[in-house]
């Protein structure tokens, strides 16, 4: 593992981390309580992608990273995702701004956004990422963002790198990127289902 670490690309590290999470979730029954720190560590790896997006998405990075860090800071006291959501459910703070459950919901939407982006990336050969990223954002996050945020995000889409620039920055080829993106897409399914179940099992809707 250590010997190959130097050859790991950022994308393969992300895929590895989410495959580990999904393997844990799938190996246990559905009551399995996912470790919050382990989840946050996987989510932190995703932030390297932001470095490829340019200054226009700096505020998205700060938003995402601060939410992951908040959850990570809480991991010592709460231990697991389920405990964190349970705490908010008990205190009626599930949807309260800045609560753990709300931050978890936003981070989950970010992970979903990347999955949709990868799916669009793989199903098109566009030279520009604007279409793939806009469609992914529209499907996963835009419905839950304010008009002002949505407007800023769509405006920023013009500043995204091209497909080739992204591959270069990620140190991937078309072939290797396809492989790693598919691994992430497949690994994310059980993770998303697991997180959503934390809410739906408590009769909390997901339209926010
Ligand atoms: C090549 C890749 C292109 C992908 C481009 C996608 C850019 C998405 C930008 C999203 C910006 C979100 C800005 C701020 C949103 C906040 O209003 C919400 C609500 O926060 P709350 O009111 O609950 O405190 N915050 C969020 O939704 C958390 C941040 C989500 C950012 C997800 C980005 C995912 C990763 C992008 C790819 C690296």
């Amino acid at each position: 593992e250590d010997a190959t670490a130097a050859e790991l690309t950022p994308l393969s590290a992300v895929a590895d981390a989410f495959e580990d999470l999904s393997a844990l979730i799938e190996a246990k029954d559905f009551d399995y309580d996912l470790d919050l720190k382990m989840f946050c560590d996987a989510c932190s790896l995703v932030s390297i992608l932001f470095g490829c997006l340019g200054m226009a998405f700096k505020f998205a990075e700060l938003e995402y990273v601060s939410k992951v860090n908040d959850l990570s800071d809480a991991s010592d006291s709460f231990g697991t995702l389920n405990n964190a959501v349970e705490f908010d459910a008990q205190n009626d703070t599930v949807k309260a701004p800045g609560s753990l459950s709300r931050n978890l919901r936003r981070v989950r939407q970010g992970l979903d956004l990347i999955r949709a982006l990868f799916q669009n990336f793989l199903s098109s050969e566009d030279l520009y990422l604007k279409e793939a990223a806009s469609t992914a954002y529209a499907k996963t996050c835009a419905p839950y963002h304010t008009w002002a945020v949505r407007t800023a995000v769509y405006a920023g889409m013009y500043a995204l790198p091209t497909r080739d620039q992204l591959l270069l920055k990620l140190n991937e080829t078309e072939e290797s990127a396809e492989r790693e993106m598919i691994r992430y897409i497949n690994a994310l399914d059980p993770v998303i289902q697991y997180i959503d179940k934390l809410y739906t099992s408590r009769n909390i809707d997901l339209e926010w």
Side-chain angles (χ1 to χ4, degrees):
E1 178 90 30
D2 275 347
T4 57
E7 299 157 35
L8 275 185
T9 62
L11 214 47
S12 68
V14 170
D16 282 352
F18 282 93
E19 279 186 346
D20 288 350
L21 289 181
S22 79
L24 276 174
I25 292 168
E26 295 203 303
K28 316 281 165 90
D29 32 78
F30 223 57
D31 293 339
Y32 173 66
D33 212 352
L34 192 62
D35 183 71
L36 187 53
K37 184 79 172 80
M38 187 186 176
F39 173 75
C40 291
D41 287 346
C43 294
S44 295
L45 291 174
V46 167
S47 12
I48 56 96
L49 292 176
F50 285 110
C52 306
L53 301 182
M55 279 309 289
F57 287 101
K58 193 71 196 170
F59 87 119
E61 173 177 6
L62 296 175
E63 257 292 303
Y64 176 84
V65 168
S66 79
K67 284 173 163 57
V68 173
N69 286 345
D70 278 1
L71 288 166
S72 192
D73 289 345
S75 62
D76 274 348
S77 34
F78 289 94
T80 66
L81 273 68
N82 187 56
N83 288 345
V85 175
E86 179 60 22
F87 175 84
D88 284 324
Q90 300 276 342
N91 291 281
D92 208 13
T93 47
V94 170
K95 299 184 185 182
S99 75
L100 296 173
S101 305
R102 178 154 166 161
N103 288 344
L104 177 61
R105 177 98 190 110
R106 299 294 173 233
V107 169
R108 172 250 187 257
Q109 286 163 349
L111 299 176
D112 198 16
L113 168 60
I114 296 157
R115 173 172 62 171
L117 175 75
F118 287 177
Q119 284 167 336
N120 294 343
F121 185 97
L122 295 176
S123 65
S124 106
E125 282 165 19
D126 289 356
L127 299 179
Y128 296 94
L129 298 176
K130 182 178 165 289
E131 193 66 31
S134 303
T135 314
Y137 175 72
K139 183 182 159 200
T140 57
C141 292
Y144 313 109
H145 286 171
T146 62
W147 178 85
V149 167
R150 286 200 304 272
T151 305
V153 170
Y154 286 124
M157 294 293 179
Y158 291 93
L160 286 174
T162 64
R163 185 183 184 97
D164 287 348
Q165 285 167 344
L166 180 68
L167 290 172
L168 204 63
K169 286 180 188 187
L170 290 174
N171 196 20
E172 302 283 352
T173 63
E174 283 280 349
E175 293 72 29
S176 67
E178 176 174 349
R179 189 181 63 228
E180 304 306 337
M181 287 179 184
I182 289 173
R183 288 174 60 213
Y184 174 83
I185 290 167
N186 292 334
L188 201 66
D189 275 339
V191 176
I192 293 269
Q193 283 172 34
Y194 175 86
I195 296 172
D196 287 352
K197 183 99 189 289
L198 295 173
Y199 300 88
T200 57
S201 65
R202 295 179 167 92
N203 290 319
I204 302 159
D205 73 284
L206 299 174
E207 296 306 309
W208 53 287

